Amino acid sequence: AARDARNKRVHVYAKFNVDSGKLPEFYGASCKFLAQAQADSGCETFDFQHELNWARNVSDEAQSLLLVRQEWASKEELEAHVQAEHSKRFNEALVAGEMLVCPPGLSVFGPALTLEDLGKIAAESRAANLAAGITVDFLA
């Protein structure tokens, strides 16, 4: 039962390139949104992360990269969160306040792939490639 529940989980990564001059407004809107989002049904994880300074960082004097990392118990609960008034207000605040230097990036994923999952996918891909006359060495 626990594995079935894990298999239904949805992982969301939302990337925001925030105008450095708008950081106070972004953090203010985020504070309000975070508490409400974490209280949504099915929310397992919902946190904001700021990019660290490293050799290939995106953040600079003009913009700061922030990531919202989310985990939901199911796609249905994620959809309910997306349709919630607090989510709509947050998105509207970002647009109205011109807080972002580019559109946000959003990626949605299923559960983590296990070693067994990866092996099965590799075997299926290898078989499909062989059937199509394509030879690929995944371990090369």
Side-chain angles (χ1 to χ4, degrees):
R3 179 153 171 80
D4 289 341
R6 280 193 303 271
N7 285 339
K8 291 181 181 178
R9 288 191 179 154
V10 178
H11 303 266
V12 180
Y13 300 90
K15 180 184 78 157
F16 298 99
N17 296 76
V18 181
D19 181 319
S20 293
K22 301 288 184 163
L23 279 171
E25 292 90 343
F26 181 85
Y27 286 128
S30 298
C31 284
K32 293 175 187 172
F33 181 53
L34 179 61
Q36 294 168 323
Q38 288 176 332
D40 282 345
S41 175
C43 181
E44 305 283 336
T45 302
F46 199 106
D47 54 36
F48 283 77
Q49 297 174 323
H50 191 273
E51 181 183 39
L52 294 176
N53 189 18
W54 68 295
R56 295 183 181 164
N57 62 313
V58 172
S59 299
D60 58 23
E61 289 183 19
Q63 66 178 328
S64 292
L65 176 62
L66 286 101
L67 180 78
V68 178
R69 186 176 60 97
Q70 307 169 37
E71 183 177 340
W72 296 89
S74 70
K75 289 186 284 187
E76 295 77 17
E77 286 163 314
L78 168 60
E79 287 297 332
H81 160 73
V82 169
Q83 297 302 321
E85 286 304 314
H86 56 268
S87 295
K88 292 176 184 178
R89 280 192 305 274
F90 179 72
N91 293 334
E92 290 166 3
L94 297 180
V95 173
E98 298 179 344
M99 296 181 205
L100 306 180
V101 299
C102 62
L106 184 67
S107 299
V108 180
F109 296 90
L113 298 172
T114 65
L115 186 57
E116 181 182 317
D117 295 333
L118 292 170
K120 182 178 177 184
I121 293 167
E124 290 169 354
S125 296
R126 196 174 295 115
N129 285 341
L130 287 174
I134 302 168
T135 304
V136 177
D137 185 359
F138 289 103
L139 300 177

